[in-house]
Amino acid sequence: MEGRRGQDNGASPSSVPLVGRRDVLRVFEEALDATAADAFRFLALVGEPGAGKTRLLNELSNAADARKLATLSGRASEFEQEMPFGAVVDALDDHLEEHVGDLGRGTVRLLGQVFPALAASLSDGEEAGPPGSAPVATPVARYQLYRAVRRLLEDVAAPSGLVLILDDVHWADNATIELLDHLVRHPPRARVLIAVAYRPAQASARLAALVQASLRAEGGYRLPVGPLTQAEVAELLGPEVSNARCSELYKASGGNPFYLEALARTREPLAAGDTEGELPPAVRAALQLELSGLSPDALLVAQSAAVAADEFAPPLAAVAAEVSERAALAALDELVARDIVRPRAERFRFRHPLVRHAAYRSAAAGWRLAAHGRIAAYLTEIGAPAAVRARHLERSARVGDRAAIATLVEAARAFATQAPSTAAHWLKVALGLMPVAGNAGDDDASLPSRLELMMELARVQTVGGHLTDGRETARNVLKMLPLDAYAQRARAARLAALMERQLDRPNEARTLLLDELRRMPDPRSPAAVPLRMRLIAERMMRIDFRAAQAVLDLMPDSSEDWEPSLELAVAAFRPMPALAAGRIEDTLRYLAAADRLVDAAPDEHLAEWMDAIAWLCWAETFMGHFRSASRRFERAVNVARTTGQLYVVPTLMAGLTRAYGMLGRLEEAAAVAEEAVEEARLLHSGQQLVFALTQQSLVAGWSGDDETALQHAEEAIESGTGVGEWWGSMARYARAMALIGLGRLEEGAQAVEATMKGPLDQRTHLSLSEVMAGVEAGRGRADAARTWVERGEHYVIPGLEAHNGLAQLARAHLLQLTEPAAAAREALAAAELFGEAGHRIDAGRARMRAGQAQAAAGDRSAAREQLRLAADTFTDCGARALHAQAVREQRKIGVRVPARGGRGTGLPGGLSKREYEVASLVVEGCTNSQIAERLFVSIRTVETHLSHIFAKFGVSSRVGVVNALTRNGPDPDVPGIG
């Protein structure tokens, strides 16, 4: 497809007047003005076929041109619905080469898997492969791709702004809808307006949901495009048409502009009858009459063009029609003269999708099948990508056609990660071409068997967020397999159980695994190991480590008849139950053994047991080995992505977020958490989303944005998943931390008590006890603080010193009330333990407690040093609220902490003018993203200003900013602020 500047989707010629639509045009003007002023806008035109959506998009394009905004347009098409990102490629592809230098090679490689122009721009050593062909690079997560497209739009919009118009998106593939959804929730930081048009009756649930989401965000509009009134119809037809004829045409067309145009082209009596499909009988008859007026050659080429593509080149139409290219060009001249098709450069397009639909349906079904076959053969001959050939093979290949099956599988694998819904569609078509008796791939090494293809389909469906479909496909494999095919059944059952887990159906997963185990004559055979391993993972998710240990105790470390990866998987599972039982020496020994095996193993061995590898990574996290855990998680994420197992990536990235956060790498942690959440949303997995949102909440809290932390935690809890399981309890832990961070201490204390009733790991129990000891000590409640210290002692694990440092810090909180010198010693000891393990946030908190205690004990020199170290640590980590607290403690003992940029402003707290603007918007209730949009700055800049504001006001939350600014009041004498 070729992209287009401006709107040229076969709209009515500009000489036809536009009548009515004043409300829509007014919104266009407002949205374009906002975009020109540096805001993002999203417009959705909704109307029935022929209602005039395309014509209105033309008006939008013209208005954008008048404001010097660049306009690019594309459209999806009825007979190419499975082309990944078709409408977006149609709009952008012709205009990308000029931006290659600005995007960077990594971004270009990502986008080159979708956009032909960028694929062609890569050097020979860096080719992404033609879009639609088998990938030659590591498969990319969809979120990474969508983020790259957003970057691309920002770059294209940089000079003067951009209006991106996508028509007929009811025919767009799921990947396009997901991309639009991403852009609505993460708008480009540039002057960008995106306008889409679609038919409501044909819109997918995802499309309707994204339009609703745009309305909840600032700058989204849903614009209904209804029929014209009778007066508007008369105005459109003009005074030369009689009132009687106007009335007749209005009644027959229902005020639909396209129907009206089609009916007005004929002088024949208007047909009556029942509506069939999309078109009323009168309109269908009018279009058939229009086509019947063509010469035989022109009609043949029109039908061939309708088969070929939405936008077609003459050679393709000639191949389908079995005529020479010269004859096809002559026929096209007639079609252009009759306004059936319209030229654009060296290609042609029907004047309206309904005209193409009519031309396609006017051809005999058998002839269409043969025409698709001729086109498929021609595309194969010229080396077209598999994805381009796939849609014609879908409509022409016969059962048993091995070449067609191979092409469809190739097309599916090319887009298995970027557009998994499309990949699943093509795999289903390939399965439909396999003979029912036997497997098409059994005697052909280049083709997978039916069962292998079904397992591949199940995985792709899962990646695409169709978890229920993936589960059913895996269960269908089980039904097809003989009862004595134990090894194959075990693999299928393990996959189906994993899907049940993703759907938050752990009981069904466990039942399925146990049923398969009972069918095996020898439950300890190598074929049973995958089932046992999945049972271990299920029990560990419920923090039932005793049951997991019982299964592990029945399994040897290795066996001669095991595959090499099985030994690695068993080793990876062993550390966690041992740690839960407090057997630290065993845990360390198991970790060392697993580390040796994992380090020596190739990635393909890890790929077979990602659930086991995930638990090994989490075991290192619970041990407090965050440095090694981060390295393990990084490799696991890479392996999962490389092998297309994107359904485990959010969980792994949540663990990586945790490790980065505890190491004080908060900026990296926030970025990873955001990616984990976005990928979990694409999977539609409640479990994965809760995992990711929980860690995103904790990182936001550590970074000082407790309001956002609370929002993330509450969204995780409101999903309703994870009740009675560890990951569900962790979401409640995150909520409790956010409430305490916001100063809502009573609510926080209640949330802590509720959280501790659920399944939790020892570190989280100890963390809650330490935090609550600090809260109660801060309120002067020594007895309550002592109770929490004693509760925390139950979760001390001998030999795990960095973990036990939390218990020492809890004692320091309590001692602060009565023995500050002893409190300082406990806090410093904890700080040393945390520092040695690399727990920078905890180390900084311990040093701050030590400084407070030393100040209370009268040792101000030592207090200043510890508070300086704490403040420096928090600054390096990006822990804004903790840094503000440390600064407040420094000022209490007379340390002058320089206020950045606030001198001489006359503003409250010594704020700079920009900081005051940010603080004022916080008082108004604006979020960081809203502040960024209002002030035309990045969200990161807003966060930096907030950290300065926290420090200058000596507060640790947005609530504190509101209170401080309200106390001080606005300064009306400062120019530009009111």
Side-chain angles (χ1 to χ4, degrees):
M1 294 182 182
E2 295 183 11
R4 299 178 302 289
R5 287 207 179 273
Q7 179 75 2
D8 183 21
N9 285 352
S12 301
S14 58
S15 60
V16 176
L18 179 70
V19 299
R21 315 303 192 194
R22 292 182 181 84
D23 291 345
V24 174
L25 296 175
R26 184 172 61 253
V27 173
F28 282 179
E29 295 293 326
E30 293 171 359
L32 288 168
D33 287 343
T35 299
D38 212 14
F40 172 78
R41 290 293 181 265
F42 182 87
L43 309 180
L45 276 68
V46 188
E48 299 303 325
K53 303 182 295 296
T54 300
R55 175 60 195 274
L56 283 168
L57 292 178
N58 260 329
E59 296 297 321
L60 176 65
S61 178
N62 294 336
D65 288 342
R67 288 170 171 78
K68 309 299 183 186
L69 296 169
T71 306
L72 297 176
S73 63
R75 81 180 186 196
S77 58
E78 179 180 10
F79 301 111
E80 289 83 27
Q81 295 185 39
E82 300 302 331
M83 285 303 294
F85 306 100
V88 179
V89 173
D90 190 22
L92 296 175
D93 199 53
D94 276 0
H95 309 286
L96 298 183
E97 291 187 29
E98 60 197 90
H99 299 282
V100 169
D102 299 325
L103 292 172
R105 304 305 291 175
T107 302
V108 171
R109 278 195 294 272
L110 283 179
L111 296 172
Q113 298 183 52
V114 172
F115 294 99
L118 292 181
S121 73
L122 294 170
S123 64
D124 291 340
E126 296 183 286
E127 281 197 27
S133 63
V136 297
T138 297
V140 58
R142 284 172 284 166
Y143 174 68
Q144 291 178 311
L145 178 61
Y146 300 162
R147 191 166 53 184
V149 173
R150 184 181 66 179
R151 161 95 188 275
L152 171 64
L153 294 179
E154 291 170 346
D155 194 75
V156 174
S160 60
L162 172 65
V163 175
L164 176 63
I165 295 173
L166 302 177
D167 202 357
D168 291 331
V169 293
H170 52 276
W171 285 324
D173 66 301
N174 275 339
T176 299
I177 304 305
E178 285 182 353
L179 170 60
L180 290 172
D181 182 66
H182 176 83
L183 294 172
V184 164
R185 287 184 293 105
H186 302 278
R189 296 173 186 173
R191 289 179 287 173
V192 175
L193 183 153
I194 298 176
V196 303
Y198 67 92
R199 303 174 187 174
Q202 294 172 256
S204 67
R206 287 187 176 184
L207 175 55
L210 94 83
V211 173
Q212 285 301 118
S214 76
L215 300 181
R216 292 191 293 269
E218 188 173 351
Y221 299 86
R222 184 182 186 274
L223 305 173
V225 182
L228 301 176
T229 65
Q230 188 164 353
E232 289 168 341
V233 167
E235 180 184 350
L236 182 62
L237 293 173
E240 64 275 10
V241 180
S242 69
N243 289 337
R245 179 65 172 168
C246 282
S247 179
E248 182 186 26
L249 289 171
Y250 172 71
K251 290 178 181 178
S253 68
N256 182 294
F258 175 80
Y259 298 171
L260 183 67
E261 178 198 11
L263 295 171
R265 288 171 178 260
T266 178
R267 293 297 176 184
E268 298 294 324
L270 300 183
D274 296 328
T275 297
E276 294 181 14
E278 295 179 331
L279 297 175
V283 178
R284 186 174 65 254
L287 290 175
Q288 289 171 348
L289 185 64
E290 186 176 2
L291 292 171
S292 68
L294 298 171
S295 68
D297 287 346
L299 178 60
L300 175 62
V301 170
Q303 293 168 333
S304 301
V307 169
D310 186 54
E311 187 172 285
F312 61 92
L316 207 57
V319 167
E322 296 183 285
V323 300
S324 68
E325 191 170 340
R326 179 189 295 271
L329 289 170
L332 285 169
D333 287 341
E334 180 180 343
L335 294 173
V336 170
R338 299 288 293 271
D339 198 27
I340 301 295
V341 303
R342 294 174 180 172
R344 200 201 70 80
E346 297 178 355
R347 291 174 177 263
F348 296 83
R349 176 168 267 171
F350 286 87
R351 76 168 187 268
H352 194 281
L354 291 175
V355 178
R356 182 190 180 194
H357 177 90
Y360 188 86
R361 298 301 176 192
S362 71
W367 180 90
R368 291 199 306 260
L369 185 149
H372 279 296
R374 289 190 290 272
I375 292 174
Y378 172 75
L379 291 172
T380 301
E381 184 181 325
I382 65 173
V388 177
R389 291 177 277 146
R391 79 169 194 88
H392 293 288
L393 289 171
E394 175 185 352
R395 291 165 173 83
S396 63
R398 297 179 179 181
V399 173
D401 186 335
R402 298 178 185 280
I405 294 170
T407 298
L408 289 160
V409 171
E410 180 186 351
R413 289 173 177 172
F415 286 99
T417 54
Q418 301 99 318
S421 295
T422 294
H425 171 79
W426 283 328
L427 287 175
K428 288 178 183 177
V429 175
L431 283 165
L433 294 178
M434 285 186 163
V436 176
N439 290 312
D442 287 347
D443 56 352
D444 187 342
S446 65
L447 287 180
S449 69
R450 174 180 290 274
L451 291 173
E452 289 170 338
L453 210 55
M454 288 183 69
M455 290 290 283
E456 188 171 344
L457 172 60
R459 287 189 288 269
V460 168
Q461 287 170 325
T462 302
V463 171
H466 301 288
L467 296 173
T468 302
D469 292 343
R471 176 197 63 192
E472 291 307 310
T473 301
R475 283 185 175 271
N476 284 335
V477 172
L478 279 173
K479 293 176 183 176
M480 294 171 60
L481 284 166
L483 292 177
D484 58 356
Y486 301 119
Q488 289 176 294
R489 292 186 64 86
R491 285 195 293 272
R494 179 171 172 247
L495 181 61
L498 182 60
M499 299 306 100
E500 297 285 13
R501 159 58 62 182
Q502 299 288 332
L503 288 163
D504 195 31
R505 291 160 52 95
N507 293 331
E508 288 80 356
R510 184 170 177 272
T511 299
L512 173 63
L513 295 167
L514 290 174
D515 285 347
E516 286 300 317
L517 273 173
R518 292 189 188 103
R519 287 193 179 98
M520 292 189 173
D522 180 5
R524 298 187 182 185
S525 66
V529 173
L531 301 174
R532 292 185 172 278
M533 301 292 275
R534 187 62 224 163
L535 275 173
I536 292 170
E538 287 295 326
R539 283 163 174 160
M540 288 169 70
M541 288 294 288
R542 301 185 65 86
I543 310 296
D544 189 358
F545 293 115
R546 289 185 178 179
Q549 185 66 65
V551 178
L552 281 168
D553 287 343
L554 297 174
M555 299 178 69
D557 289 335
S558 64
S559 176
E560 290 183 0
D561 52 1
W562 280 8
E563 297 176 359
S565 61
L566 275 179
E567 180 181 357
L568 180 153
V570 172
F573 269 132
R574 289 199 186 280
M576 194 68 219
L579 173 60
R583 295 168 18 229
I584 300 305
E585 290 187 7
D586 285 346
T587 304
L588 291 171
R589 178 164 52 83
Y590 290 147
L591 280 174
D595 286 348
R596 284 194 300 272
L597 289 171
V598 169
D599 289 343
D603 285 352
E604 53 265 31
H605 287 180
L606 269 64
E608 294 178 35
W609 298 100
M610 292 307 303
D611 45 1
I613 298 302
W615 275 109
L616 174 62
C617 296
W618 279 104
E620 299 226 48
T621 301
F622 291 135
M623 285 286 288
H625 298 173
F626 295 112
R627 295 190 187 98
S628 57
S630 65
R631 292 192 295 271
R632 288 272 175 258
F633 276 122
E634 287 166 352
R635 184 183 177 192
V637 168
N638 182 62
V639 170
R641 282 187 171 151
T642 300
T643 55
Q645 299 182 73
L646 301 185
Y647 45 84
V648 301
V649 167
T651 300
L652 295 170
M653 296 189 78
L656 183 58
T657 298
R658 176 78 167 180
Y660 281 168
M662 294 305 297
L663 291 170
R665 297 162 62 178
L666 293 183
E667 186 173 348
E668 293 171 88
V672 173
E674 179 184 1
E675 190 166 347
V677 168
E678 291 305 311
E679 294 196 18
R681 291 191 196 282
L682 293 174
L683 289 171
H684 300 281
S685 168
Q687 174 188 306
Q688 301 280 1
L689 185 59
V690 171
F691 258 108
L693 283 169
T694 297
Q695 296 307 319
Q696 191 176 39
S697 172
L698 293 172
V699 169
W702 292 329
S703 301
D705 191 352
D706 291 301
E707 288 183 352
T708 300
L710 182 59
Q711 291 171 8
H712 293 326
E714 290 186 336
E715 182 185 351
I717 293 168
E718 288 168 4
S719 73
T721 58
V723 176
E725 299 210 343
W726 167 71
W727 46 283
S729 295
M730 287 300 294
R732 289 163 175 75
Y733 163 69
R735 179 176 179 271
M737 294 298 97
L739 288 169
I740 291 170
L742 286 168
R744 295 160 60 177
L745 301 183
E746 287 300 330
E747 290 179 79
Q750 293 172 9
V752 167
E753 290 288 3
T755 300
M756 295 187 81
K757 293 176 182 177
L760 289 171
D761 59 279
Q762 293 104 311
R763 181 178 178 82
T764 302
H765 271 296
L766 186 51
S767 172
L768 286 167
S769 300
E770 179 265 317
V771 168
M772 286 306 300
V775 167
E776 298 297 0
R779 296 199 285 184
R781 301 177 180 178
D783 289 344
R786 184 175 296 106
T787 298
W788 281 107
V789 170
E790 291 169 355
R791 289 177 71 170
E793 297 290 346
H794 292 294
Y795 301 104
V796 168
I797 302 176
L800 207 58
E801 298 308 321
H803 167 91
N804 298 336
L806 289 172
Q808 289 183 277
L809 184 53
R811 288 195 293 273
H813 296 325
L814 173 63
L815 291 169
Q816 173 79 14
L817 297 174
T818 55
E819 302 177 59
R825 289 193 294 273
E826 288 281 2
L828 284 172
E832 289 299 320
L833 293 175
F834 294 141
E836 289 174 5
H839 305 184
R840 299 189 70 200
I841 298 290
D842 284 343
R845 291 194 309 115
R847 292 197 181 280
M848 184 160 61
R849 172 54 76 194
Q852 291 170 312
Q854 288 164 336
D859 190 349
R860 295 203 164 212
S861 176
R864 281 194 292 270
E865 177 61 14
Q866 291 305 314
L867 291 173
R868 181 191 66 79
L869 290 172
D872 288 349
T873 296
F874 298 142
T875 297
D876 291 344
C877 294
R880 297 187 301 274
L882 289 169
H883 176 264
Q885 186 180 350
V887 167
R888 186 165 63 249
E889 295 298 327
Q890 287 177 300
R891 287 174 175 161
K892 284 181 181 178
I893 59 175
V895 176
R896 288 190 175 184
V897 180
R900 306 173 194 175
R903 292 188 178 274
T905 65
L907 294 171
L911 300 182
S912 69
K913 179 180 175 181
R914 179 60 93 182
E915 288 165 355
Y916 186 82
E917 291 174 328
V918 171
S920 298
L921 292 172
V922 169
V923 172
E924 290 182 22
C926 294
T927 64
N928 286 2
S929 62
Q930 290 169 334
I931 294 171
E933 183 170 334
R934 291 270 290 274
L935 299 181
F936 308 114
V937 297
S938 70
I939 293 176
R940 183 65 63 195
T941 299
V942 173
E943 292 172 347
T944 301
H945 286 313
L946 278 174
S947 69
H948 298 165
I949 293 166
F950 287 171
K952 290 178 180 181
F953 278 155
V955 300
S956 60
S957 71
R958 297 165 78 93
V959 174
V961 172
V962 173
N963 292 335
L965 202 58
T966 303
R967 277 196 310 271
N968 287 279
D971 189 336
D973 296 326
V974 178
I977 300 176

